[in-house]
Amino acid sequence: MRFSNFVQVPLLVVPIEEQKEIADYLNKKVPKIDSLIAEKESLIADLEAYKKSLIYEVVTGKRRVV
């Protein structure tokens, strides 16, 4: 799209009250989302540690692979 055509693109303006409602909604949801992300990151870290432990046990002969 050329700049000369850009001025023809409609610009939608959301009313300020609706913007505030959206912001309030997101402010309520973000902590829960952050909590879920932290849980998943912790689970990933635990699984990575477990994987390293298994690899170590197999390499050192403490665990047999069938």
Side-chain angles (χ1 to χ4, degrees):
M1 176 181 289
R2 295 182 181 263
F3 179 74
S4 60
N5 295 336
F6 189 72
V7 295
Q8 297 173 358
V9 174
L11 179 63
L12 302 176
V13 179
V14 179
I16 192 72
E17 197 55 44
E18 189 173 348
Q19 291 180 39
K20 288 179 182 178
E21 289 175 19
I22 293 169
D24 290 342
Y25 175 81
L26 292 175
N27 286 337
K28 290 177 186 172
K29 293 295 182 178
V30 166
K32 178 65 174 170
I33 293 168
D34 288 344
S35 172
L36 291 170
I37 290 171
E39 284 179 33
K40 299 304 176 190
E41 288 174 340
S42 176
L43 178 60
I44 290 169
D46 291 346
L47 290 171
E48 287 175 349
Y50 180 62
K51 175 183 167 185
K52 288 178 183 179
S53 170
L54 285 176
I55 291 171
Y56 174 80
E57 288 177 10
V58 170
V59 169
T60 59
K62 293 181 181 179
R63 183 181 291 255
R64 289 190 74 185
V65 179
V66 181

